Amino acid sequence: MDIDAWLWWLIGAAALGIALVVTAMPELGMLAVGAVAAAVVSGIFGGGAVAQVAVFAVVSTALIAVVRPIARRHRSQRPELASGVDALKGKQAVVLERVDGSGGRIKLAGEVWSARALDTGRSYEVGQEVDVVEIEGATAIIM
């Protein structure tokens, strides 16, 4: 029983796809796409072994060279939705009790928080709107 080269390439692509699912290595998926491209060259265009291997190498290398940096950049970005105290940074609050370098109280996101001025020489009076720049424990640092 003689199996055509394009079928071997598809079997290889399937094996790489299974390995991708098992190991979660995206590079294997890119190699599988290269194997499918080589199968197309063999089956549709009738290319020889050298052309098949060249297409496999070029397509696989191009995908890895283009997709990996995009994926790495995407992985290193901060999540779009901040939660917890990270969601409070940059929010505005209203001063409830005078806030200076030693403390005070603000209303932040509907809750009363202890607060401290970022600039210890500055004070904020009742009713003034301030920006939260950091959260340290249960204290909001404002400016």
Side-chain angles (χ1 to χ4, degrees):
M1 179 168 147
D2 191 22
I3 297 179
D4 292 334
W6 65 270
L7 191 54
W8 283 113
W9 283 110
L10 290 181
I11 292 169
L16 287 166
I18 291 169
L20 165 67
V21 171
V22 171
T23 64
M25 289 182 56
E27 293 83 2
L28 294 175
M30 296 172 216
L31 292 172
V33 172
V36 170
V40 168
V41 167
S42 173
I44 295 176
F45 300 113
V50 173
Q52 295 169 32
V53 171
V55 166
F56 171 75
V58 168
V59 170
S60 298
T61 304
L63 283 173
I64 290 171
V66 171
V67 174
R68 280 186 77 200
I70 294 170
R72 182 174 290 133
R73 200 171 31 244
H74 179 70
R75 214 177 354 188
S76 68
Q77 289 178 346
R78 253 185 97 161
E80 293 288 325
L81 180 64
S83 61
V85 293
D86 288 333
L88 299 175
K89 294 177 186 175
K91 298 280 186 185
Q92 286 196 327
V94 177
V95 176
L96 298 177
E97 294 176 13
R98 183 174 192 268
V99 178
D100 55 22
S102 60
R105 298 242 181 258
I106 61 171
K107 187 164 192 171
L108 171 62
E111 297 178 346
V112 177
W113 281 73
S114 61
R116 188 174 70 241
L118 179 65
D119 180 5
T120 56
R122 181 143 187 217
S123 64
Y124 301 92
E125 300 303 323
V126 174
Q128 192 173 355
E129 287 192 2
V130 294
D131 294 319
V132 176
V133 294
E134 188 67 48
I135 302 289
E136 288 181 358
T139 303
I141 310 302
I142 63 167
M143 63 180 281

